[in-house]
Amino acid sequence: MRQVAVLGATGSIGGSALDVIARHPQRFRASVLAAHRSVEALAALCERFHPDLAVIGDPACEEALRARLGAAGLATRVTAGAEALVEAAASDRCDTVVAAIVGAAGLASTLAAARAGKRLLLANKEAVVMAGPLLRAALQAGGGELLPIDSEHNALFQCLPNGRGDLSGAGVRRLILTASGGPFRGRRRDELVGITPEQAVAHPNWRMGRKISVDSATLMNKGLEVIEAHFLFDAAPDAIDVVVHPQSIVHSLVEYTDGSVLAQLGNPDMRTALAYGLAWPERVAAGVAPLDLLALGRLEFQAPDPDTFRCLALAYRALRAGGTAPAVLNAANEVAVAAFLDGQLPFLAIAEVIEATLDATALEPVRDLAQLVQTDLTARHTAQRMMRRSFC
Ligand code: NDP
Ligand code: MG
């Protein structure tokens, strides 16, 4: 029986993970559930899954959660705060951690799970982008397993030899990430003036949290995924390509030197990747509808438009610059996306804020978590300064 910690349990990925867990009560148990401030949603999940531990990220919500669980007569222990998340991720209460907190807030707990040798189901791509070298070292030190949950990386993992994501000597020429193109695929730059948050989060194929939905609309999501692929699979930037595939059926492809191209296909439903990660190397039902190829009829592939969607090029720039550049890119993006969702920043200015922040920041080689936390903080301040100067 796998004891699973779901960090980000009240989110979109957390909900999909719990759906798969609930389908297999003999195999999986949700032993730890964590969220940020959604006390009622987390309490409802505790009533359903009876975890040993519930962690609430914001300490101000601790008493409300404890009172709510007490009133429901649950024995679930309650802890709170960023350090409690780290402790939970590394604790004996779980052997598997679903890292599904959004943004840099998930970094420390993701690293802790890796260092503790857990099976790490990694959805929190921002953690890899910020701290790829640290995550790799933590995985090596902990001796656990990383199962990528981002659908593209899960697809690549499935298409790589031995399903282990080891490119060395495997005859791999290229990793090809597919991108849906988001809600504004095919539009020109001047057609993106005045885009509202509600338009940006209306993704055509996937139901996701608001931050990643905006990232999909700017193509920064794909940029973050290029960096994620680099760190997860040790692939050079030039060996990672992006193609736009509007149907989101082919989740990504691996091109080999002999001309073979392996792809993983499926309906766009994150439960496939989560079931794969939970049960690996076995397969279990995920509740996902079978793929109907005849109903689909055709699959299309197009080149991305780098002039309209500049975030993709900025991500390649940060990856090639190396060191702390991806962490700076990520921090500036988180700040700009939050401001956009708040109605404070125009959609097209997201890329400008990120570029200005990269331009203004001196880069360093990645050393440790404390350095990256400081890099993240400084880049957030720089991004805010850039926004005030230019757009607010
Ligand atoms: P959501 O916004 O739906 O959920 C985010 C979750 O993180 C919530 O449970 C939230 O809790 C929790 N959280 C946020 N901040 C903190 C914090 N400081 N401390 C503790 N918990 C926190 O996001 P998604 O599920 O869409 O995305 C999660 C991650 O997975 C992201 O990194 C995203 O890029 C990645 N991903 C998502 C995909 C998807 O289909 N959704 C696909 C591929 C990757 P609360 O409810 O209390 O705020
Ligand atoms: Mg993805």
Side-chain angles (χ1 to χ4, degrees), residues 8-13 35-38 85 100-102 105 123-126 150 208-209 212 270:
T10 50
S12 157
I13 289 286
H36 187 212
R37 292 193 181 122
S38 301
L85 285 169
I101 291 176
V102 60
N124 178 213
K125 65 189 81 183
E126 295 90 348
D150 215 347
M208 311 181 285
I212 185 178
M270 291 308 294

mmCIF file with all atom_site columns, all heavy atoms in Angstrom, residues 8-13 35-38 85 100-102 105 123-126 150 208-209 212 270, ligand 1:
data_model
loop_
_atom_site.group_PDB
_atom_site.id
_atom_site.type_symbol
_atom_site.label_atom_id
_atom_site.label_alt_id
_atom_site.label_comp_id
_atom_site.label_asym_id
_atom_site.label_entity_id
_atom_site.label_seq_id
_atom_site.pdbx_PDB_ins_code
_atom_site.Cartn_x
_atom_site.Cartn_y
_atom_site.Cartn_z
_atom_site.occupancy
_atom_site.B_iso_or_equiv
_atom_site.pdbx_formal_charge
_atom_site.auth_seq_id
_atom_site.auth_comp_id
_atom_site.auth_asym_id
_atom_site.auth_atom_id
_atom_site.pdbx_PDB_model_num
ATOM   1   N N   . GLY A 1 8   ? -0.720 20.404 -2.199  1.00 0.00 ? 8   GLY A N   1
ATOM   2   C CA  . GLY A 1 8   ? -1.533 21.093 -3.206  1.00 0.00 ? 8   GLY A CA  1
ATOM   3   C C   . GLY A 1 8   ? -2.802 20.304 -3.461  1.00 0.00 ? 8   GLY A C   1
ATOM   4   O O   . GLY A 1 8   ? -3.317 20.252 -4.575  1.00 0.00 ? 8   GLY A O   1
ATOM   5   N N   . ALA A 1 9   ? -3.334 19.688 -2.369  1.00 0.00 ? 9   ALA A N   1
ATOM   6   C CA  . ALA A 1 9   ? -4.463 18.754 -2.497  1.00 0.00 ? 9   ALA A CA  1
ATOM   7   C C   . ALA A 1 9   ? -5.734 19.432 -2.993  1.00 0.00 ? 9   ALA A C   1
ATOM   8   O O   . ALA A 1 9   ? -6.584 18.798 -3.622  1.00 0.00 ? 9   ALA A O   1
ATOM   9   C CB  . ALA A 1 9   ? -4.728 18.094 -1.139  1.00 0.00 ? 9   ALA A CB  1
ATOM   10  N N   . THR A 1 10  ? -5.884 20.736 -2.713  1.00 0.00 ? 10  THR A N   1
ATOM   11  C CA  . THR A 1 10  ? -7.115 21.432 -3.093  1.00 0.00 ? 10  THR A CA  1
ATOM   12  C C   . THR A 1 10  ? -7.057 21.999 -4.511  1.00 0.00 ? 10  THR A C   1
ATOM   13  O O   . THR A 1 10  ? -8.010 22.621 -4.964  1.00 0.00 ? 10  THR A O   1
ATOM   14  C CB  . THR A 1 10  ? -7.378 22.597 -2.114  1.00 0.00 ? 10  THR A CB  1
ATOM   15  O OG1 . THR A 1 10  ? -6.162 23.365 -2.012  1.00 0.00 ? 10  THR A OG1 1
ATOM   16  C CG2 . THR A 1 10  ? -7.751 22.087 -0.734  1.00 0.00 ? 10  THR A CG2 1
ATOM   17  N N   . GLY A 1 11  ? -5.954 21.789 -5.203  1.00 0.00 ? 11  GLY A N   1
ATOM   18  C CA  . GLY A 1 11  ? -5.808 22.328 -6.551  1.00 0.00 ? 11  GLY A CA  1
ATOM   19  C C   . GLY A 1 11  ? -6.270 21.350 -7.624  1.00 0.00 ? 11  GLY A C   1
ATOM   20  O O   . GLY A 1 11  ? -6.790 20.269 -7.332  1.00 0.00 ? 11  GLY A O   1
ATOM   21  N N   . SER A 1 12  ? -6.033 21.762 -8.855  1.00 0.00 ? 12  SER A N   1
ATOM   22  C CA  . SER A 1 12  ? -6.453 20.963 -10.000 1.00 0.00 ? 12  SER A CA  1
ATOM   23  C C   . SER A 1 12  ? -5.704 19.626 -10.059 1.00 0.00 ? 12  SER A C   1
ATOM   24  O O   . SER A 1 12  ? -6.314 18.556 -10.170 1.00 0.00 ? 12  SER A O   1
ATOM   25  C CB  . SER A 1 12  ? -6.225 21.813 -11.258 1.00 0.00 ? 12  SER A CB  1
ATOM   26  O OG  . SER A 1 12  ? -6.104 21.023 -12.384 1.00 0.00 ? 12  SER A OG  1
ATOM   27  N N   . ILE A 1 13  ? -4.384 19.668 -9.918  1.00 0.00 ? 13  ILE A N   1
ATOM   28  C CA  . ILE A 1 13  ? -3.604 18.418 -9.938  1.00 0.00 ? 13  ILE A CA  1
ATOM   29  C C   . ILE A 1 13  ? -3.904 17.596 -8.689  1.00 0.00 ? 13  ILE A C   1
ATOM   30  O O   . ILE A 1 13  ? -4.095 16.368 -8.765  1.00 0.00 ? 13  ILE A O   1
ATOM   31  C CB  . ILE A 1 13  ? -2.090 18.729 -10.006 1.00 0.00 ? 13  ILE A CB  1
ATOM   32  C CG1 . ILE A 1 13  ? -1.733 19.285 -11.372 1.00 0.00 ? 13  ILE A CG1 1
ATOM   33  C CG2 . ILE A 1 13  ? -1.255 17.489 -9.695  1.00 0.00 ? 13  ILE A CG2 1
ATOM   34  C CD1 . ILE A 1 13  ? -1.706 18.289 -12.495 1.00 0.00 ? 13  ILE A CD1 1
ATOM   35  N N   . ALA A 1 35  ? -2.596 22.155 1.835   1.00 0.00 ? 35  ALA A N   1
ATOM   36  C CA  . ALA A 1 35  ? -3.075 23.274 1.007   1.00 0.00 ? 35  ALA A CA  1
ATOM   37  C C   . ALA A 1 35  ? -2.515 24.572 1.584   1.00 0.00 ? 35  ALA A C   1
ATOM   38  O O   . ALA A 1 35  ? -1.724 24.544 2.537   1.00 0.00 ? 35  ALA A O   1
ATOM   39  C CB  . ALA A 1 35  ? -4.599 23.295 0.987   1.00 0.00 ? 35  ALA A CB  1
ATOM   40  N N   . HIS A 1 36  ? -2.934 25.668 1.020   1.00 0.00 ? 36  HIS A N   1
ATOM   41  C CA  . HIS A 1 36  ? -2.406 26.968 1.461   1.00 0.00 ? 36  HIS A CA  1
ATOM   42  C C   . HIS A 1 36  ? -3.364 27.670 2.417   1.00 0.00 ? 36  HIS A C   1
ATOM   43  O O   . HIS A 1 36  ? -3.088 27.830 3.584   1.00 0.00 ? 36  HIS A O   1
ATOM   44  C CB  . HIS A 1 36  ? -2.119 27.834 0.227   1.00 0.00 ? 36  HIS A CB  1
ATOM   45  C CG  . HIS A 1 36  ? -1.437 29.113 0.551   1.00 0.00 ? 36  HIS A CG  1
ATOM   46  N ND1 . HIS A 1 36  ? -1.638 30.264 -0.164  1.00 0.00 ? 36  HIS A ND1 1
ATOM   47  C CD2 . HIS A 1 36  ? -0.560 29.419 1.531   1.00 0.00 ? 36  HIS A CD2 1
ATOM   48  C CE1 . HIS A 1 36  ? -0.889 31.232 0.360   1.00 0.00 ? 36  HIS A CE1 1
ATOM   49  N NE2 . HIS A 1 36  ? -0.236 30.747 1.389   1.00 0.00 ? 36  HIS A NE2 1
ATOM   50  N N   . ARG A 1 37  ? -4.555 28.057 1.890   1.00 0.00 ? 37  ARG A N   1
ATOM   51  C CA  . ARG A 1 37  ? -5.530 28.774 2.723   1.00 0.00 ? 37  ARG A CA  1
ATOM   52  C C   . ARG A 1 37  ? -6.934 28.209 2.625   1.00 0.00 ? 37  ARG A C   1
ATOM   53  O O   . ARG A 1 37  ? -7.837 28.710 3.295   1.00 0.00 ? 37  ARG A O   1
ATOM   54  C CB  . ARG A 1 37  ? -5.598 30.244 2.288   1.00 0.00 ? 37  ARG A CB  1
ATOM   55  C CG  . ARG A 1 37  ? -4.340 31.014 2.597   1.00 0.00 ? 37  ARG A CG  1
ATOM   56  C CD  . ARG A 1 37  ? -4.569 32.515 2.457   1.00 0.00 ? 37  ARG A CD  1
ATOM   57  N NE  . ARG A 1 37  ? -3.355 33.214 2.741   1.00 0.00 ? 37  ARG A NE  1
ATOM   58  C CZ  . ARG A 1 37  ? -2.744 34.036 1.887   1.00 0.00 ? 37  ARG A CZ  1
ATOM   59  N NH1 . ARG A 1 37  ? -3.263 34.256 0.689   1.00 0.00 ? 37  ARG A NH1 1
ATOM   60  N NH2 . ARG A 1 37  ? -1.622 34.634 2.222   1.00 0.00 ? 37  ARG A NH2 1
ATOM   61  N N   . SER A 1 38  ? -7.136 27.229 1.756   1.00 0.00 ? 38  SER A N   1
ATOM   62  C CA  . SER A 1 38  ? -8.500 26.721 1.521   1.00 0.00 ? 38  SER A CA  1
ATOM   63  C C   . SER A 1 38  ? -8.906 25.778 2.636   1.00 0.00 ? 38  SER A C   1
ATOM   64  O O   . SER A 1 38  ? -8.916 24.552 2.473   1.00 0.00 ? 38  SER A O   1
ATOM   65  C CB  . SER A 1 38  ? -8.564 25.995 0.176   1.00 0.00 ? 38  SER A CB  1
ATOM   66  O OG  . SER A 1 38  ? -8.196 26.851 -0.862  1.00 0.00 ? 38  SER A OG  1
ATOM   67  N N   . LEU A 1 85  ? 5.292  21.984 5.887   1.00 0.00 ? 85  LEU A N   1
ATOM   68  C CA  . LEU A 1 85  ? 5.194  21.345 4.571   1.00 0.00 ? 85  LEU A CA  1
ATOM   69  C C   . LEU A 1 85  ? 6.449  20.518 4.289   1.00 0.00 ? 85  LEU A C   1
ATOM   70  O O   . LEU A 1 85  ? 6.384  19.390 3.792   1.00 0.00 ? 85  LEU A O   1
ATOM   71  C CB  . LEU A 1 85  ? 5.062  22.408 3.462   1.00 0.00 ? 85  LEU A CB  1
ATOM   72  C CG  . LEU A 1 85  ? 3.718  23.100 3.307   1.00 0.00 ? 85  LEU A CG  1
ATOM   73  C CD1 . LEU A 1 85  ? 3.850  24.287 2.369   1.00 0.00 ? 85  LEU A CD1 1
ATOM   74  C CD2 . LEU A 1 85  ? 2.686  22.116 2.776   1.00 0.00 ? 85  LEU A CD2 1
ATOM   75  N N   . ALA A 1 100 ? 2.383  19.169 -5.927  1.00 0.00 ? 100 ALA A N   1
ATOM   76  C CA  . ALA A 1 100 ? 1.408  19.880 -6.772  1.00 0.00 ? 100 ALA A CA  1
ATOM   77  C C   . ALA A 1 100 ? 1.045  21.238 -6.191  1.00 0.00 ? 100 ALA A C   1
ATOM   78  O O   . ALA A 1 100 ? -0.047 21.744 -6.412  1.00 0.00 ? 100 ALA A O   1
ATOM   79  C CB  . ALA A 1 100 ? 0.160  19.030 -6.957  1.00 0.00 ? 100 ALA A CB  1
ATOM   80  N N   . ILE A 1 101 ? 1.975  21.822 -5.427  1.00 0.00 ? 101 ILE A N   1
ATOM   81  C CA  . ILE A 1 101 ? 1.830  23.221 -5.023  1.00 0.00 ? 101 ILE A CA  1
ATOM   82  C C   . ILE A 1 101 ? 2.222  24.062 -6.232  1.00 0.00 ? 101 ILE A C   1
ATOM   83  O O   . ILE A 1 101 ? 3.132  23.689 -6.983  1.00 0.00 ? 101 ILE A O   1
ATOM   84  C CB  . ILE A 1 101 ? 2.732  23.524 -3.807  1.00 0.00 ? 101 ILE A CB  1
ATOM   85  C CG1 . ILE A 1 101 ? 2.189  22.778 -2.577  1.00 0.00 ? 101 ILE A CG1 1
ATOM   86  C CG2 . ILE A 1 101 ? 2.841  25.028 -3.532  1.00 0.00 ? 101 ILE A CG2 1
ATOM   87  C CD1 . ILE A 1 101 ? 3.049  22.909 -1.330  1.00 0.00 ? 101 ILE A CD1 1
ATOM   88  N N   . VAL A 1 102 ? 1.558  25.188 -6.420  1.00 0.00 ? 102 VAL A N   1
ATOM   89  C CA  . VAL A 1 102 ? 1.893  26.014 -7.575  1.00 0.00 ? 102 VAL A CA  1
ATOM   90  C C   . VAL A 1 102 ? 2.981  27.025 -7.206  1.00 0.00 ? 102 VAL A C   1
ATOM   91  O O   . VAL A 1 102 ? 2.956  27.613 -6.133  1.00 0.00 ? 102 VAL A O   1
ATOM   92  C CB  . VAL A 1 102 ? 0.630  26.719 -8.154  1.00 0.00 ? 102 VAL A CB  1
ATOM   93  C CG1 . VAL A 1 102 ? -0.035 27.631 -7.126  1.00 0.00 ? 102 VAL A CG1 1
ATOM   94  C CG2 . VAL A 1 102 ? 0.970  27.490 -9.423  1.00 0.00 ? 102 VAL A CG2 1
ATOM   95  N N   . ALA A 1 105 ? 6.542  28.486 -4.117  1.00 0.00 ? 105 ALA A N   1
ATOM   96  C CA  . ALA A 1 105 ? 6.126  28.040 -2.779  1.00 0.00 ? 105 ALA A CA  1
ATOM   97  C C   . ALA A 1 105 ? 6.311  26.536 -2.604  1.00 0.00 ? 105 ALA A C   1
ATOM   98  O O   . ALA A 1 105 ? 6.390  26.047 -1.484  1.00 0.00 ? 105 ALA A O   1
ATOM   99  C CB  . ALA A 1 105 ? 4.665  28.417 -2.536  1.00 0.00 ? 105 ALA A CB  1
ATOM   100 N N   . ALA A 1 123 ? 4.730  17.621 -10.257 1.00 0.00 ? 123 ALA A N   1
ATOM   101 C CA  . ALA A 1 123 ? 3.928  18.509 -11.111 1.00 0.00 ? 123 ALA A CA  1
ATOM   102 C C   . ALA A 1 123 ? 4.445  19.944 -11.010 1.00 0.00 ? 123 ALA A C   1
ATOM   103 O O   . ALA A 1 123 ? 4.356  20.715 -11.960 1.00 0.00 ? 123 ALA A O   1
ATOM   104 C CB  . ALA A 1 123 ? 2.461  18.455 -10.691 1.00 0.00 ? 123 ALA A CB  1
ATOM   105 N N   . ASN A 1 124 ? 4.987  20.292 -9.851  1.00 0.00 ? 124 ASN A N   1
ATOM   106 C CA  . ASN A 1 124 ? 5.433  21.653 -9.538  1.00 0.00 ? 124 ASN A CA  1
ATOM   107 C C   . ASN A 1 124 ? 6.663  22.027 -10.390 1.00 0.00 ? 124 ASN A C   1
ATOM   108 O O   . ASN A 1 124 ? 7.795  22.016 -9.925  1.00 0.00 ? 124 ASN A O   1
ATOM   109 C CB  . ASN A 1 124 ? 5.750  21.707 -8.024  1.00 0.00 ? 124 ASN A CB  1
ATOM   110 C CG  . ASN A 1 124 ? 6.269  23.037 -7.547  1.00 0.00 ? 124 ASN A CG  1
ATOM   111 O OD1 . ASN A 1 124 ? 7.087  23.078 -6.637  1.00 0.00 ? 124 ASN A OD1 1
ATOM   112 N ND2 . ASN A 1 124 ? 5.833  24.136 -8.136  1.00 0.00 ? 124 ASN A ND2 1
ATOM   113 N N   . LYS A 1 125 ? 6.409  22.367 -11.651 1.00 0.00 ? 125 LYS A N   1
ATOM   114 C CA  . LYS A 1 125 ? 7.522  22.586 -12.595 1.00 0.00 ? 125 LYS A CA  1
ATOM   115 C C   . LYS A 1 125 ? 8.398  23.764 -12.185 1.00 0.00 ? 125 LYS A C   1
ATOM   116 O O   . LYS A 1 125 ? 9.588  23.805 -12.484 1.00 0.00 ? 125 LYS A O   1
ATOM   117 C CB  . LYS A 1 125 ? 6.991  22.776 -14.018 1.00 0.00 ? 125 LYS A CB  1
ATOM   118 C CG  . LYS A 1 125 ? 6.162  24.000 -14.229 1.00 0.00 ? 125 LYS A CG  1
ATOM   119 C CD  . LYS A 1 125 ? 5.509  23.983 -15.607 1.00 0.00 ? 125 LYS A CD  1
ATOM   120 C CE  . LYS A 1 125 ? 4.266  23.136 -15.631 1.00 0.00 ? 125 LYS A CE  1
ATOM   121 N NZ  . LYS A 1 125 ? 3.612  23.008 -16.910 1.00 0.00 ? 125 LYS A NZ  1
ATOM   122 N N   . GLU A 1 126 ? 7.792  24.748 -11.470 1.00 0.00 ? 126 GLU A N   1
ATOM   123 C CA  . GLU A 1 126 ? 8.575  25.913 -11.072 1.00 0.00 ? 126 GLU A CA  1
ATOM   124 C C   . GLU A 1 126 ? 9.764  25.497 -10.194 1.00 0.00 ? 126 GLU A C   1
ATOM   125 O O   . GLU A 1 126 ? 10.823 26.131 -10.240 1.00 0.00 ? 126 GLU A O   1
ATOM   126 C CB  . GLU A 1 126 ? 7.697  26.922 -10.333 1.00 0.00 ? 126 GLU A CB  1
ATOM   127 C CG  . GLU A 1 126 ? 6.583  27.544 -11.197 1.00 0.00 ? 126 GLU A CG  1
ATOM   128 C CD  . GLU A 1 126 ? 5.280  26.756 -11.148 1.00 0.00 ? 126 GLU A CD  1
ATOM   129 O OE1 . GLU A 1 126 ? 5.274  25.609 -10.632 1.00 0.00 ? 126 GLU A OE1 1
ATOM   130 O OE2 . GLU A 1 126 ? 4.254  27.273 -11.635 1.00 0.00 ? 126 GLU A OE2 1
ATOM   131 N N   . ASP A 1 150 ? 3.970  16.489 -15.267 1.00 0.00 ? 150 ASP A N   1
ATOM   132 C CA  . ASP A 1 150 ? 3.675  17.370 -16.396 1.00 0.00 ? 150 ASP A CA  1
ATOM   133 C C   . ASP A 1 150 ? 3.476  16.450 -17.610 1.00 0.00 ? 150 ASP A C   1
ATOM   134 O O   . ASP A 1 150 ? 4.308  15.568 -17.867 1.00 0.00 ? 150 ASP A O   1
ATOM   135 C CB  . ASP A 1 150 ? 4.893  18.301 -16.614 1.00 0.00 ? 150 ASP A CB  1
ATOM   136 C CG  . ASP A 1 150 ? 4.459  19.681 -17.062 1.00 0.00 ? 150 ASP A CG  1
ATOM   137 O OD1 . ASP A 1 150 ? 3.281  19.841 -17.433 1.00 0.00 ? 150 ASP A OD1 1
ATOM   138 O OD2 . ASP A 1 150 ? 5.305  20.594 -17.036 1.00 0.00 ? 150 ASP A OD2 1
ATOM   139 N N   . MET A 1 208 ? -7.215 23.740 -15.664 1.00 0.00 ? 208 MET A N   1
ATOM   140 C CA  . MET A 1 208 ? -6.040 23.848 -14.796 1.00 0.00 ? 208 MET A CA  1
ATOM   141 C C   . MET A 1 208 ? -6.202 25.055 -13.876 1.00 0.00 ? 208 MET A C   1
ATOM   142 O O   . MET A 1 208 ? -7.103 25.864 -14.036 1.00 0.00 ? 208 MET A O   1
ATOM   143 C CB  . MET A 1 208 ? -4.775 24.041 -15.636 1.00 0.00 ? 208 MET A CB  1
ATOM   144 C CG  . MET A 1 208 ? -4.631 23.051 -16.767 1.00 0.00 ? 208 MET A CG  1
ATOM   145 S SD  . MET A 1 208 ? -3.120 23.275 -17.714 1.00 0.00 ? 208 MET A SD  1
ATOM   146 C CE  . MET A 1 208 ? -3.487 24.741 -18.687 1.00 0.00 ? 208 MET A CE  1
ATOM   147 N N   . GLY A 1 209 ? -5.256 25.194 -12.917 1.00 0.00 ? 209 GLY A N   1
ATOM   148 C CA  . GLY A 1 209 ? -5.233 26.372 -12.059 1.00 0.00 ? 209 GLY A CA  1
ATOM   149 C C   . GLY A 1 209 ? -5.004 27.641 -12.887 1.00 0.00 ? 209 GLY A C   1
ATOM   150 O O   . GLY A 1 209 ? -4.596 27.586 -14.046 1.00 0.00 ? 209 GLY A O   1
ATOM   151 N N   . ILE A 1 212 ? -1.090 28.536 -14.166 1.00 0.00 ? 212 ILE A N   1
ATOM   152 C CA  . ILE A 1 212 ? -0.598 27.754 -15.308 1.00 0.00 ? 212 ILE A CA  1
ATOM   153 C C   . ILE A 1 212 ? -1.450 28.026 -16.556 1.00 0.00 ? 212 ILE A C   1
ATOM   154 O O   . ILE A 1 212 ? -0.943 27.978 -17.680 1.00 0.00 ? 212 ILE A O   1
ATOM   155 C CB  . ILE A 1 212 ? -0.520 26.239 -14.998 1.00 0.00 ? 212 ILE A CB  1
ATOM   156 C CG1 . ILE A 1 212 ? 0.116  25.485 -16.176 1.00 0.00 ? 212 ILE A CG1 1
ATOM   157 C CG2 . ILE A 1 212 ? -1.824 25.633 -14.612 1.00 0.00 ? 212 ILE A CG2 1
ATOM   158 C CD1 . ILE A 1 212 ? 0.285  24.003 -15.977 1.00 0.00 ? 212 ILE A CD1 1
ATOM   159 N N   . MET A 1 270 ? -5.121 14.840 -16.854 1.00 0.00 ? 270 MET A N   1
ATOM   160 C CA  . MET A 1 270 ? -3.915 14.650 -16.043 1.00 0.00 ? 270 MET A CA  1
ATOM   161 C C   . MET A 1 270 ? -3.946 13.368 -15.204 1.00 0.00 ? 270 MET A C   1
ATOM   162 O O   . MET A 1 270 ? -2.928 12.954 -14.651 1.00 0.00 ? 270 MET A O   1
ATOM   163 C CB  . MET A 1 270 ? -3.694 15.863 -15.131 1.00 0.00 ? 270 MET A CB  1
ATOM   164 C CG  . MET A 1 270 ? -3.304 17.135 -15.851 1.00 0.00 ? 270 MET A CG  1
ATOM   165 S SD  . MET A 1 270 ? -1.894 16.943 -16.961 1.00 0.00 ? 270 MET A SD  1
ATOM   166 C CE  . MET A 1 270 ? -0.583 16.601 -15.795 1.00 0.00 ? 270 MET A CE  1
HETATM 167 P P1  . NDP B 2 .   ? -3.960 25.183 -8.573  1.00 0.00 ? 1   NDP B P1  1
HETATM 168 O O1  . NDP B 2 .   ? -3.895 26.652 -8.501  1.00 0.00 ? 1   NDP B O1  1
HETATM 169 O O2  . NDP B 2 .   ? -5.209 24.537 -9.048  1.00 0.00 ? 1   NDP B O2  1
HETATM 170 O O3  . NDP B 2 .   ? -3.632 24.566 -7.116  1.00 0.00 ? 1   NDP B O3  1
HETATM 171 C C1  . NDP B 2 .   ? -2.523 25.002 -6.395  1.00 0.00 ? 1   NDP B C1  1
HETATM 172 C C2  . NDP B 2 .   ? -2.437 24.236 -5.090  1.00 0.00 ? 1   NDP B C2  1
HETATM 173 O O4  . NDP B 2 .   ? -1.274 24.685 -4.384  1.00 0.00 ? 1   NDP B O4  1
HETATM 174 C C3  . NDP B 2 .   ? -3.639 24.478 -4.161  1.00 0.00 ? 1   NDP B C3  1
HETATM 175 O O5  . NDP B 2 .   ? -3.900 23.300 -3.436  1.00 0.00 ? 1   NDP B O5  1
HETATM 176 C C4  . NDP B 2 .   ? -3.105 25.565 -3.227  1.00 0.00 ? 1   NDP B C4  1
HETATM 177 O O6  . NDP B 2 .   ? -3.772 25.602 -1.975  1.00 0.00 ? 1   NDP B O6  1
HETATM 178 C C5  . NDP B 2 .   ? -1.668 25.107 -3.068  1.00 0.00 ? 1   NDP B C5  1
HETATM 179 N N1  . NDP B 2 .   ? -0.764 26.163 -2.653  1.00 0.00 ? 1   NDP B N1  1
HETATM 180 C C6  . NDP B 2 .   ? -0.537 27.357 -3.256  1.00 0.00 ? 1   NDP B C6  1
HETATM 181 N N2  . NDP B 2 .   ? 0.358  28.088 -2.568  1.00 0.00 ? 1   NDP B N2  1
HETATM 182 C C7  . NDP B 2 .   ? 0.717  27.337 -1.499  1.00 0.00 ? 1   NDP B C7  1
HETATM 183 C C8  . NDP B 2 .   ? 1.549  27.551 -0.385  1.00 0.00 ? 1   NDP B C8  1
HETATM 184 N N3  . NDP B 2 .   ? 2.242  28.700 -0.222  1.00 0.00 ? 1   NDP B N3  1
HETATM 185 N N4  . NDP B 2 .   ? 1.650  26.572 0.547   1.00 0.00 ? 1   NDP B N4  1
HETATM 186 C C9  . NDP B 2 .   ? 0.945  25.424 0.419   1.00 0.00 ? 1   NDP B C9  1
HETATM 187 N N5  . NDP B 2 .   ? 0.124  25.164 -0.615  1.00 0.00 ? 1   NDP B N5  1
HETATM 188 C C10 . NDP B 2 .   ? 0.006  26.116 -1.556  1.00 0.00 ? 1   NDP B C10 1
HETATM 189 O O7  . NDP B 2 .   ? -2.705 24.721 -9.441  1.00 0.00 ? 1   NDP B O7  1
HETATM 190 P P2  . NDP B 2 .   ? -2.571 23.462 -10.406 1.00 0.00 ? 1   NDP B P2  1
HETATM 191 O O8  . NDP B 2 .   ? -3.057 22.235 -9.714  1.00 0.00 ? 1   NDP B O8  1
HETATM 192 O O9  . NDP B 2 .   ? -3.104 23.792 -11.735 1.00 0.00 ? 1   NDP B O9  1
HETATM 193 O O10 . NDP B 2 .   ? -0.990 23.386 -10.584 1.00 0.00 ? 1   NDP B O10 1
HETATM 194 C C11 . NDP B 2 .   ? -0.145 22.868 -9.557  1.00 0.00 ? 1   NDP B C11 1
HETATM 195 C C12 . NDP B 2 .   ? 1.261  22.685 -10.131 1.00 0.00 ? 1   NDP B C12 1
HETATM 196 O O11 . NDP B 2 .   ? 1.191  21.665 -11.135 1.00 0.00 ? 1   NDP B O11 1
HETATM 197 C C13 . NDP B 2 .   ? 1.812  23.933 -10.836 1.00 0.00 ? 1   NDP B C13 1
HETATM 198 O O12 . NDP B 2 .   ? 3.191  23.987 -10.632 1.00 0.00 ? 1   NDP B O12 1
HETATM 199 C C14 . NDP B 2 .   ? 1.522  23.683 -12.306 1.00 0.00 ? 1   NDP B C14 1
HETATM 200 O O13 . NDP B 2 .   ? 2.444  24.310 -13.156 1.00 0.00 ? 1   NDP B O13 1
HETATM 201 C C15 . NDP B 2 .   ? 1.685  22.165 -12.369 1.00 0.00 ? 1   NDP B C15 1
HETATM 202 N N6  . NDP B 2 .   ? 0.946  21.539 -13.455 1.00 0.00 ? 1   NDP B N6  1
HETATM 203 C C16 . NDP B 2 .   ? -0.428 21.631 -13.493 1.00 0.00 ? 1   NDP B C16 1
HETATM 204 C C17 . NDP B 2 .   ? -1.151 21.050 -14.518 1.00 0.00 ? 1   NDP B C17 1
HETATM 205 C C18 . NDP B 2 .   ? -2.649 21.076 -14.527 1.00 0.00 ? 1   NDP B C18 1
HETATM 206 O O14 . NDP B 2 .   ? -3.251 20.426 -15.373 1.00 0.00 ? 1   NDP B O14 1
HETATM 207 N N7  . NDP B 2 .   ? -3.291 21.786 -13.647 1.00 0.00 ? 1   NDP B N7  1
HETATM 208 C C19 . NDP B 2 .   ? -0.468 20.345 -15.619 1.00 0.00 ? 1   NDP B C19 1
HETATM 209 C C20 . NDP B 2 .   ? 0.967  20.274 -15.459 1.00 0.00 ? 1   NDP B C20 1
HETATM 210 C C21 . NDP B 2 .   ? 1.638  20.862 -14.420 1.00 0.00 ? 1   NDP B C21 1
HETATM 211 P P3  . NDP B 2 .   ? -5.072 26.594 -1.738  1.00 0.00 ? 1   NDP B P3  1
HETATM 212 O O15 . NDP B 2 .   ? -6.221 25.945 -2.445  1.00 0.00 ? 1   NDP B O15 1
HETATM 213 O O16 . NDP B 2 .   ? -5.257 26.590 -0.275  1.00 0.00 ? 1   NDP B O16 1
HETATM 214 O O17 . NDP B 2 .   ? -4.702 27.925 -2.317  1.00 0.00 ? 1   NDP B O17 1
#
